[in-house]
Amino acid sequence: MSYPGYPSQGYGNPTVHPVQPFDPRSDAEVLRKAMKGFGTDEKAIINVLARRSNTQRQEILLQFKTLYGKDLISNLKSELSGKFEDLVIALMKPHYEFMAKEIHDALAGIGTDEETVIEVVCSATNGEIHAIKSVYQNMYGRSLEGDLKGDTSGNFKRLMVSLCMGNRSEDYNVDPAAAQADAQALLRAGELRAGTDESAFNAVICQRSYPQLQAVMQEYQRITGHSLLKAVKHEFSGDIEEGLMTILKCVENRPAYFAERLYKSMKGLGTDDRSLIRLVVSRCEVDMGDIKTAFEAAYGKTLASFISGDCSGHYEKCLLALIGEY
């Protein structure tokens, strides 16, 4: 599967690949057997579902219904429980349906779960934004832009609406003179004035291609002696700061950004299982191999050891299988 608009520099080392040869009928039979009679063979379920691509899982769903006249997801729900059930059901949803639901649920509760909204929207490429918007409209009969507007305010709302357009430049030729001009403009809009001209930051950070933004960040560092990330941290606060920082972190090193998100989902007391599941399920077919490397470089421990320290049972085994460690 291609992910349009992704920066091409070294990203794209998945841990879950489409299995070849692929026999959805045989997989459906294995799953049926694993859930028939007394007890459930969770290991068999992991062996099939954690080692197939999302597209292949959709074919297994279809075969299962054709063979047995039953819905595989309903079957899995009745046989599994807890976090393992949550993880398996997340795996079974078409990718963009899963992401659309994560945003919808983050907006739907009392108060908004801004962290999830920022993670999904600010790290997405044009192609992903358009796919999520289309699926969101189909699932909920409402526009993603409308729901984001209704749940956010001020500069953060403007950032969300800009990103929701999915209109970032995809011209990957870097223009050094334009990067210099943008770096100067951001300096004038932030550090060189009292107060911050947020719209100048919004325009540059939401519009420029990833390679062009990398050039802007390098230029900013050259003229000020410190990073644009540091400047944003100083000039902004709250959700708008988080949103802009997320975009810049993804520009600088996307796998390192997701490694940081995974670390935060597990550090300290308790685990943010919803974030952990979303991150593993959404990245395992994209760049989880790179994220594992970035995780170990940043935290001195493997992602697998963190998961094993925080999770247990079939939930742990399934997560490890998805990151290529079981």
Side-chain angles (χ1 to χ4, degrees):
M1 184 173 193
S2 72
Y3 288 80
Y6 257 84
S8 55
Q9 55 274 48
Y11 296 139
N13 179 12
T15 48
V16 170
H17 303 267
V19 72
Q20 297 299 346
F22 172 54
D23 181 354
R25 186 189 171 112
S26 149
D27 284 347
E29 286 166 354
V30 169
L31 291 171
R32 166 84 167 149
K33 195 174 163 201
M35 295 186 284
K36 220 176 154 194
F38 289 108
T40 306
D41 183 352
E42 288 90 350
K43 195 173 176 191
I45 292 171
I46 294 170
N47 278 338
V48 172
L49 298 179
R51 293 182 166 82
R52 304 291 181 269
S53 69
N54 189 276
T55 309
Q56 289 181 330
R57 288 182 217 118
Q58 303 315 312
E59 290 184 52
I60 296 168
L61 273 176
L62 202 65
Q63 276 295 331
F64 194 92
K65 205 168 210 172
T66 307
L67 288 172
Y68 307 113
K70 285 183 168 186
D71 180 59
L72 175 56
I73 291 181
S74 304
N75 253 39
L76 288 164
K77 278 182 175 168
S78 67
E79 292 292 327
L80 310 177
S81 62
K83 302 299 172 209
F84 179 48
E85 178 193 340
D86 296 342
L87 175 58
V88 169
I89 300 310
L91 283 176
M92 296 312 296
K93 289 200 169 81
H95 175 72
Y96 290 116
E97 262 181 41
F98 174 59
M99 298 312 277
K101 185 177 189 307
E102 288 292 294
I103 297 181
H104 175 265
D105 291 0
L107 295 172
I110 297 168
T112 306
D113 169 9
E114 285 88 357
E115 274 200 15
T116 296
V117 175
I118 289 168
E119 177 201 300
V120 177
V121 176
C122 296
S123 72
T125 64
N126 290 347
E128 289 175 318
I129 284 283
H130 290 300
I132 291 169
K133 270 165 64 173
S134 159
V135 170
Y136 193 97
Q137 181 77 47
N138 286 344
M139 284 172 77
Y140 302 109
R142 301 210 300 271
S143 80
L144 175 58
E145 185 190 335
D147 280 3
L148 285 168
K149 274 184 183 166
D151 260 62
T152 55
S153 59
N155 296 313
F156 182 55
K157 171 160 70 181
R158 285 196 280 281
L159 177 71
M160 288 292 104
V161 171
S162 294
L163 292 172
C164 206
M165 295 301 97
N167 199 25
R168 182 181 297 287
S169 164
E170 291 186 351
D171 174 5
Y172 284 171
N173 298 312
V174 172
D175 179 343
Q180 207 166 8
D182 277 345
Q184 296 282 0
L186 293 176
L187 188 56
R188 285 194 302 275
E191 295 183 72
L192 295 183
R193 57 173 281 167
T196 309
D197 175 5
E198 291 89 355
S199 59
F201 281 83
N202 204 68
V204 171
I205 292 175
C206 292
Q207 224 179 352
R208 307 291 182 256
S209 72
Y210 292 114
Q212 188 67 29
L213 269 178
Q214 278 180 336
V216 173
M217 290 171 83
Q218 283 158 7
E219 190 56 35
Y220 197 94
Q221 176 85 39
R222 191 185 68 74
I223 55 182
T224 64
H226 59 254
S227 70
L228 182 54
L229 281 158
K230 187 177 175 186
V232 165
K233 211 166 179 50
H234 183 257
E235 292 293 321
F236 294 88
S237 63
D239 296 334
I240 179 71
E241 178 201 332
E242 279 302 310
L244 293 171
M245 294 283 281
T246 294
I247 298 167
L248 294 176
K249 283 176 181 177
C250 285
V251 166
E252 198 171 59
N253 186 335
R254 187 179 297 264
Y257 166 71
F258 285 111
E260 183 190 352
R261 290 290 297 154
L262 280 162
Y263 175 73
K264 283 182 174 166
S265 77
M266 292 181 282
K267 80 176 171 83
L269 288 170
T271 306
D272 174 359
D273 291 289
R274 181 145 197 182
S275 292
L276 176 58
I277 290 170
R278 179 178 62 255
L279 288 157
V280 171
V281 168
S282 66
R283 305 313 298 179
C284 64
E285 284 186 64
V286 188
D287 53 0
M288 185 53 80
D290 305 309
I291 293 168
K292 284 187 339 190
T293 305
F295 191 97
E296 194 166 356
Y299 305 109
K301 286 177 83 172
T302 64
L303 176 57
S305 70
F306 251 73
I307 288 173
S308 291
D310 254 54
C311 310
S312 60
H314 301 297
Y315 176 47
E316 175 203 349
K317 290 186 178 77
C318 194
L319 286 168
L320 291 175
L322 291 167
I323 67 161
E325 300 287 344
Y326 172 68

